[in-house]
Amino acid sequence: MSMLKELWIFLRARKKAWLWPVFVAMALLGALIVLAQGSAVAPFIYTLF
């Protein structure tokens, strides 16, 4: 949690709020990759790409 707090402080201080959608997209893709490894959801995820 401290890393997220430091990231939040950095982005607010540097006026880089436009980076949040990039981080959210990366987190969602990371979660998608984790779900795709060896789960029953994998065949449905692969059809998206």
Side-chain angles (χ1 to χ4, degrees):
M1 287 304 276
S2 66
M3 186 179 86
L4 291 176
K5 183 179 176 183
E6 287 182 29
L7 179 65
W8 173 254
I9 292 169
F10 172 78
L11 292 177
R12 280 188 62 198
R14 302 280 193 268
K15 306 283 191 221
K16 302 285 186 191
W18 57 271
L19 284 174
W20 277 115
V22 174
F23 291 134
V24 170
M26 287 173 48
L28 289 175
L29 282 175
L32 190 65
I33 289 171
V34 169
L35 281 175
Q37 292 181 357
S39 72
V41 183
F44 301 109
I45 292 174
Y46 291 134
T47 60
L48 293 176
F49 298 103

